[in-house]
Amino acid sequence: NAGVTQTPKFRILKIGQSMTLQCTQDMNHNYMYWYRQDPGMGLKLIYYSVGAGITDKGEVPNGYNVSRSTTEDFPLRLELAAPSQTSVYFCASSGDFTAEAFFGQGTRLTVV
Amino acid sequence: AQSVAQPEDQVNVAEGNPLTVKCTYSVSGNPYLFWYVQYPNRGLQFLLKYITGDNLVKGSYGFEAEFNKSQTSFHLKKPSALVSDSALYFCAVRGTGGGNKLTFGTGTQLKVEL
């Protein structure tokens, strides 16, 4: 089972560049999430989606955008990358009948 | 707003000894509570959850957690620690708001030594 797949695993961006972090899940989950993890800070919710076509802001949405055109995919877009966006990004999904969320392996992003 | 506190940044324990990783929470309504583990350079792996029912829940790799409503706590425990249990542990809560969103604690680094 693939579960939640994130690409790329690592990326270095220059300040001002943009990129899209890809996330796809094969569990037919309606709920999908993007978190960022910073040392000593735990995980902070960036954006989430409750189904295709529906997205909403989480705790730290500034500088990011998302879309959810299909149930499977939930890409995260960074426009005008800044050093403050250096972090590890995790995508997760959960279903209507599963309380727990399933996480991808993460994308380590460095903005220089 | 929901929140989770993990008061210890690091817990050290000798192999074979019992371990406890502490977690307290704040949420409106009945909580859904979770423990996740993260090994270096890996994603989060689900360990166990409390939804309702028995206050002692058992999970993967011999871990268990005790839900205490009066103390709003959900401490993770294991009777006999292994060196391979060394990892970063996160407690999380899901409240009754829309989106099934999880709020995480800041994590506790568990170090099990020989």
Side-chain angles (χ1 to χ4, degrees):
Chain A
N1 289 339
V4 179
T5 302
Q6 292 182 237
T7 56
K9 288 186 170 53
F10 304 94
R11 182 74 185 267
I12 298 175
L13 275 184
K14 294 185 178 179
I15 294 171
Q17 287 185 322
S18 61
M19 76 165 293
T20 299
L21 281 66
Q22 302 292 344
C23 175
T24 187
Q25 52 94 5
D26 63 358
M27 296 172 283
N28 200 33
H29 285 167
N30 281 325
Y31 300 92
M32 295 189 74
Y33 315 88
W34 275 105
Y35 288 89
R36 60 177 287 172
Q37 182 183 18
D38 301 297
M41 302 293 290
L43 282 79
K44 301 292 186 185
L45 182 65
I46 305 171
Y47 270 95
Y48 68 99
S49 169
V50 301
I54 306 170
T55 63
D56 207 346
K57 295 178 180 179
E59 189 179 355
V60 290
N62 291 346
Y64 307 95
N65 277 300
V66 293
S67 59
R68 185 94 182 271
S69 57
T70 67
T71 299
E72 295 78 19
D73 301 306
F74 190 42
L76 177 72
R77 178 82 175 165
L78 279 72
E79 304 282 2
L80 297 174
S84 61
Q85 294 178 306
T86 293
S87 187
V88 181
Y89 292 84
F90 288 101
C91 180
S93 72
S94 65
D96 292 335
F97 304 105
T98 57
E100 65 269 28
F102 297 85
F103 283 78
Q105 293 299 294
T107 296
R108 185 175 295 275
L109 176 67
T110 302
V111 181
V112 296
Chain B
Q2 56 200 44
S3 65
V4 174
Q6 293 182 242
E8 302 154 319
D9 291 335
Q10 182 161 320
V11 169
N12 297 320
V13 65
E15 188 175 51
N17 283 0
L19 69 88
T20 298
V21 182
K22 296 179 180 177
C23 170
T24 58
Y25 67 90
S26 174
V27 69
S28 299
N30 294 322
Y32 288 17
L33 294 158
F34 306 85
W35 277 100
Y36 286 83
V37 60
Q38 184 181 34
Y39 296 98
N41 300 314
R42 302 295 299 275
L44 275 71
Q45 296 178 31
F46 169 73
L47 273 181
L48 52 79
K49 65 185 175 187
Y50 172 83
I51 306 298
T52 187
D54 194 348
N55 290 343
L56 184 66
V57 294
K58 295 186 184 298
S60 306
Y61 312 120
F63 284 92
E64 57 190 28
E66 187 168 12
F67 171 65
N68 187 317
K69 188 172 183 178
S70 63
Q71 296 185 6
T72 61
S73 66
F74 189 56
H75 300 331
L76 181 70
K77 300 181 180 184
K78 188 175 183 182
S80 179
L82 298 172
V83 171
S84 57
D85 293 330
S86 298
L88 185 58
Y89 290 81
F90 288 99
C91 181
V93 66
R94 191 186 103 183
T96 54
N100 291 354
K101 295 168 288 184
L102 293 180
T103 297
F104 285 85
T106 52
T108 298
Q109 186 71 47
L110 174 66
K111 186 174 183 180
V112 182
E113 300 166 310
L114 290 171

